Every structure is written in structure tokens, then in C-alpha cells.
Amino acid sequence: MEKEVYTLIAKRVPPGDRFVLIDDKTNTVHLSLTETLEAYFAKVQKAYDFKLSPLKGEIYIITNETVAPEPPKKFNIYGDY
């Protein structure tokens, strides 16, 4: 079974659509959403799907992780096992 995982990569810096990457030690402010995504791609060199949360002012990458199904629960109502 696969599960979508959202990882925060950037936060908005008011005013406007300016963003700072979370892991950027220099705190470079990118002046647009496109510039921010391009900077992240240049940093990681891997393509991802993105999710924008405009009300929170956050950008996430979307990854898929394989999750093992939970084993069925065992009940011992009658002491049979």
C-alpha cells in the first residue's frame, strides 16, 4: 500500500509571493513561486510533484512511501489460543 507524504520545502515571506527555502542556510528570498521551485530543483537535482498551501504560505514536495499493511488483530475472548 502506498501513502502520499508531504514534506515542507519553503515558506512565504510577506509581502507578495516571495519564498525562502527551509534548508537554505543563506535565507535567500526568491521573488516568485517559479523562482523558488527552480532553486529547489537546482539544489536537489530531482523532479517532484509540488503542493502549494496558499493560506498557510507553504510549499511541499509530494513523495510516495510504501506502507506495510497492519496485521489482523487477534482476540482472545474465549482463551482459545
Side-chain angles (χ1 to χ4, degrees):
M1 184 164 104
E2 289 208 354
K3 174 183 170 186
E4 280 191 352
V5 177
Y6 300 105
T7 305
L8 180 66
I9 62 160
K11 286 193 164 218
R12 183 178 166 272
V13 179
D17 285 336
R18 302 176 335 147
F19 293 89
V20 173
L21 295 175
I22 296 296
D23 294 337
D24 187 9
K25 305 280 190 264
T26 63
N27 288 328
T28 303
V29 176
H30 302 283
L31 303 178
S32 70
L33 175 62
T34 306
E35 185 179 315
T36 306
L37 296 178
E38 180 64 29
Y40 185 77
F41 177 74
K43 178 180 164 186
V44 298
Q45 295 292 310
K46 191 172 178 184
Y48 288 103
D49 288 326
F50 293 93
K51 175 184 183 270
L52 175 63
S53 179
L55 296 178
K56 291 182 181 178
E58 297 174 341
I59 304 171
Y60 299 87
I61 60 168
I62 303 170
T63 55
N64 291 318
E65 291 183 3
T66 302
V67 178
E70 290 185 27
K73 292 184 179 182
K74 294 183 179 181
F75 297 96
N76 189 12
I77 297 173
Y78 304 108
D80 292 340
Y81 70 109

